[in-house]
Amino acid sequence: EIGNLSTLQVLKLNSNANLSGMIPDEIQGLTMLTEMRLGFSSISGSIPTAIGALTKLESLHLHIANLTGSIPSEIGNLSTLQVLKLNSNANLSGMIPDEIQGLTMLTEMRLGFSSISGSIPTAIGALTKLELLYLNTANLTGSIPSEIGNLSTLQDLRFNTNTNLGGKIPDAIQGLTMLTDMRLGLSQISGSIPSVVGALTKLSSLQLQGAELNGSVPSEISDLTMLEVLFLSENQLTGNVPQLRNTGFFSDCDLSGNSFGDASLAVSAGCRI
């Protein structure tokens, strides 16, 4: 009967730990809905394709529940959506649909702590208003698409803890000039740390630990004057460590588990070697 509420604009049933069952297809009747919060619950089953009828939605929170199945392609109909939280549904699986390119107003997308698999779609590059993108702790494969560089307003990027995500860090990341936090560690990402990382001058946290990175640490890291956290541990990095800070110490810096030559400049910046 929830579908009878044709003038409903805000629906908040979140934080009811024992609220269970499936999301009914009848939600397609809620065509005036701008905000739907059903997270922090025991809701299960698939995300219904009927979600695509809610074309006025600006905020969709279905996180921390028991959802299964995959993200329906109809999600791409939600052209006014600004916040999408599907994270922490451990059995939510399947690939990220290309139709997400329709979510051009999206500022926040959280799909992590799930079983989502497949490659990061190149369609991600259409989401040019994104400020926060969390695809961490999932089953993603392939590599980071160069289209990521289109996300010029992105502030927080987390692809970490996808143990089969590989390929190189694309030079296109130099377009992410608003980025303050980048986490790509605990993955199979390989190749060298690109020197263009020096363009990300707002970075306060760079976490690339536990991957397959090789080569030397680029001296351009010293251009990151706001950097406070640097994790490069457990890679295959070599060579002498360049000056990483012009002044002072990192709040946390770990370069251990590599094969560096002279690391005295890192030690003087407060790094663990």
Side-chain angles (χ1 to χ4, degrees):
E1 289 82 5
I2 195 86
N4 296 340
L5 309 182
S6 58
T7 61
L8 193 66
Q9 296 180 35
V10 177
L11 175 61
K12 296 183 181 181
L13 301 177
N14 56 295
S15 303
N16 285 285
N18 295 315
L19 181 65
S20 62
M22 299 173 70
I23 301 171
D25 286 337
E26 287 77 8
I27 62 162
Q28 65 191 333
L30 308 181
T31 54
M32 301 301 291
L33 207 62
T34 62
E35 185 173 346
M36 182 161 68
R37 300 188 181 217
L38 305 180
F40 292 96
S41 69
S42 297
I43 285 174
S44 59
S46 298
I47 300 168
T49 58
I51 204 87
L54 310 184
T55 55
K56 294 185 184 298
L57 267 186
E58 297 174 1
S59 187
L60 178 58
H61 295 197
L62 303 179
H63 57 306
I64 313 180
N66 294 323
L67 294 172
T68 56
S70 58
I71 300 170
S73 60
E74 288 80 1
I75 201 91
N77 296 347
L78 309 183
S79 59
T80 60
L81 198 65
Q82 296 173 32
V83 176
L84 176 62
K85 295 184 180 181
L86 303 179
N87 57 290
S88 303
N89 283 283
N91 294 311
L92 184 66
S93 60
M95 299 174 69
I96 300 170
D98 287 337
E99 287 79 3
I100 63 162
Q101 66 191 334
L103 307 181
T104 55
M105 300 301 290
L106 208 62
T107 62
E108 182 175 334
M109 181 161 70
R110 299 178 186 241
L111 306 181
F113 295 96
S114 69
S115 296
I116 286 173
S117 59
S119 298
I120 300 167
T122 58
I124 206 92
L127 309 185
T128 55
K129 293 186 184 296
L130 270 183
E131 297 174 3
L132 184 151
L133 178 57
Y134 287 3
L135 305 181
N136 55 306
T137 317
N139 294 326
L140 294 172
T141 56
S143 58
I144 299 171
S146 61
E147 288 79 3
I148 200 79
N150 296 347
L151 308 184
S152 59
T153 60
L154 196 64
Q155 297 175 33
D156 196 340
L157 173 63
R158 301 187 187 187
F159 291 166
N160 57 290
T161 323
N162 282 282
T163 54
N164 293 308
L165 181 66
K168 296 183 177 182
I169 300 172
D171 284 341
I173 63 162
Q174 65 190 315
L176 308 181
T177 54
M178 300 301 290
L179 207 61
T180 62
D181 195 334
M182 181 162 69
R183 304 186 187 193
L184 307 179
L186 301 172
S187 67
Q188 296 294 315
I189 288 173
S190 60
S192 59
I193 301 170
S195 60
V196 296
V197 75
L200 309 183
T201 55
K202 294 187 184 296
L203 269 184
S204 63
S205 180
L206 177 60
Q207 301 187 25
L208 306 177
Q209 75 276 23
E212 301 292 333
L213 295 170
N214 54 45
S216 57
V217 177
S219 60
E220 287 82 0
I221 281 184
S222 66
D223 295 337
L224 307 181
T225 57
M226 300 179 72
L227 197 64
E228 293 294 333
V229 175
L230 177 63
F231 292 163
L232 303 179
S233 58
E234 304 301 331
N235 278 286
Q236 299 163 21
L237 298 169
T238 57
N240 298 333
V241 181
Q243 182 170 334
L244 300 175
R245 286 183 75 91
N246 292 319
T247 58
F249 300 91
F250 291 105
S251 63
D252 198 356
C253 177
D254 191 351
L255 275 61
S256 63
N258 288 288
S259 300
F260 293 121
D262 182 0
S264 57
L265 290 174
V267 173
S268 66
C271 298
R272 300 186 293 281
I273 298 296

